[in-house]
Amino acid sequence: MSVQENLEGLRQQLPAGCKLIAVSKTQPVEKIQEAYNAGQRIFGENRAQELASKYEALPPDIEWHMIGHLQTNKVKYIAPFVSLIHSIDSVKLLEEVNRQGKRFNRAIPCLLQVHIAEEETKFGFSLDEVEQAVTSLDWNSLDNVVIRGLMGMATLTDNADQVRREFRSLRMMFEKLCSSALATPVRMEELSMGMSGDYQLAVAEGSTMVRLGTAIFGERNIHH
Ligand SMILES: *Cc1c(COP(=O)(O)O)cnc(C)c1O
């Protein structure tokens, strides 16, 4: 199946309120252009410098999303133009994004990444930590970031019940924060969850953004 056919099939499956982020990490510019020509406008990358060089090479109306772990010293490469950072996994990173936002005179849209999987290697706040952050950080001093929601990754497993449970735990925190964040500038509008292997479960649990690579572009080079 071509990139265009994959995109058409996915668009038919996704509910109207769910955005499709085409994860183009490791894909050459030509492949991304192919998806662009098929109407795709939102792309996600997991390395700051790769994201910045693709931004330079491709049409200016693309929305670039950062979806992977971001080191504080790399924020500067994407700060001038990035549309959404899904992977804010520490207060330290949030503060650096705020500093870079100030430098470029913009408020950078961000999601807080929450650790919901069993695996220990994945980055993110715990459910308790994210609630703590939203309700007690000094948001007035963080006025060059805009928190727009939460992101999470489920455990890589064939156990659908477990994946569903993990997505549900994130959606319940999202709903809880919708009300407890009312007194802060934090907004809870986007719930980024679901990858090629589990997006149907994520959508059923209320995802508003699915991040799909393999389902659009086919298998990646695993050594990247
Ligand atoms: C690579 C990646 C994806 C997409 O993975 P696929 O299984 O190819 O759909 C989604 N989210 C993050 C954070 C990723 O790093």
Side-chain angles (χ1 to χ4, degrees), residues 76-99:
K76 57 177 184 279
Y77 297 118
I78 61 171
F81 65 87
V82 70
S83 290
L84 184 65
I85 300 175
H86 292 230
S87 44
I88 300 294
D89 55 14
S90 70
V91 172
K92 182 169 154 251
L93 177 60
L94 185 66
E95 286 169 349
E96 175 59 15
V97 172
N98 187 62
R99 204 161 20 245

Side-chain angles (χ1 to χ4, degrees), residues 188-202:
M188 285 289 143
E189 302 159 342
E190 303 290 355
L191 187 52
S192 169
M193 54 186 201
M195 304 174 34
S196 295
D198 58 19
Y199 71 91
Q200 279 129 331
L201 294 170

Side-chain angles (χ1 to χ4, degrees), residues 132-165:
Q132 179 79 15
V134 167
T135 53
S136 57
L137 281 180
D138 177 13
W139 293 106
N140 290 328
S141 70
L142 291 166
D143 54 355
N144 288 91
V145 292
V146 184
I147 303 298
R148 299 200 51 221
L150 305 179
M151 182 270 233
M153 277 185 274
T155 303
L156 202 60
T157 171
D158 289 336
N159 184 341
D161 285 335
Q162 182 181 351
V163 171
R164 197 177 292 115
R165 206 162 49 235

Side-chain angles (χ1 to χ4, degrees), residues 6-202:
N6 289 340
L7 282 169
E8 280 166 8
L10 288 163
R11 285 190 197 117
Q12 278 170 12
Q13 277 181 55
L14 295 175
C18 186
K19 294 178 206 63
L20 173 56
I21 318 303
V23 175
S24 51
K25 62 190 186 194
T26 81
Q27 303 296 341
V29 162
E30 299 73 51
K31 267 284 183 76
I32 302 174
Q33 184 70 48
E34 203 181 322
Y36 178 90
N37 294 345
Q40 182 65 29
R41 290 294 180 274
I42 313 179
F43 292 89
E45 290 279 337
N46 68 341
R47 292 179 177 201
Q49 279 132 311
E50 185 173 343
L51 195 162
S53 66
K54 286 173 173 173
Y55 163 74
E56 294 291 336
L58 283 150
D61 62 337
I62 289 179
E63 260 190 45
W64 290 100
H65 290 196
M66 178 66 190
I67 61 167
H69 176 62
L70 180 59
Q71 288 168 272
T72 50
N73 62 348
K74 303 275 173 70
V75 177
K76 57 177 184 279
Y77 297 118
I78 61 171
F81 65 87
V82 70
S83 290
L84 184 65
I85 300 175
H86 292 230
S87 44
I88 300 294
D89 55 14
S90 70
V91 172
K92 182 169 154 251
L93 177 60
L94 185 66
E95 286 169 349
E96 175 59 15
V97 172
N98 187 62
R99 204 161 20 245
Q100 293 294 331
K102 195 158 291 187
R103 213 180 126 211
F104 293 102
N105 196 27
R106 62 185 297 240
I108 301 178
C110 295
L111 305 179
L112 300 173
Q113 182 174 349
V114 184
H115 177 106
I116 50 172
E118 251 177 20
E119 290 139 25
E120 277 178 19
T121 53
K122 298 211 171 142
F123 295 100
F125 295 93
S126 69
L127 287 164
D128 285 345
E129 286 165 350
V130 82
E131 183 174 15
Q132 179 79 15
V134 167
T135 53
S136 57
L137 281 180
D138 177 13
W139 293 106
N140 290 328
S141 70
L142 291 166
D143 54 355
N144 288 91
V145 292
V146 184
I147 303 298
R148 299 200 51 221
L150 305 179
M151 182 270 233
M153 277 185 274
T155 303
L156 202 60
T157 171
D158 289 336
N159 184 341
D161 285 335
Q162 182 181 351
V163 171
R164 197 177 292 115
R165 206 162 49 235
E166 291 173 358
F167 285 145
R168 188 165 301 168
S169 71
L170 186 60
R171 194 241 304 156
M172 287 171 71
M173 180 52 73
F174 178 78
E175 285 171 0
K176 186 171 183 192
L177 292 180
C178 281
S179 38
S180 64
L182 281 177
T184 75
V186 172
R187 289 187 268 152
M188 285 289 143
E189 302 159 342
E190 303 290 355
L191 187 52
S192 169
M193 54 186 201
M195 304 174 34
S196 295
D198 58 19
Y199 71 91
Q200 279 129 331
L201 294 170

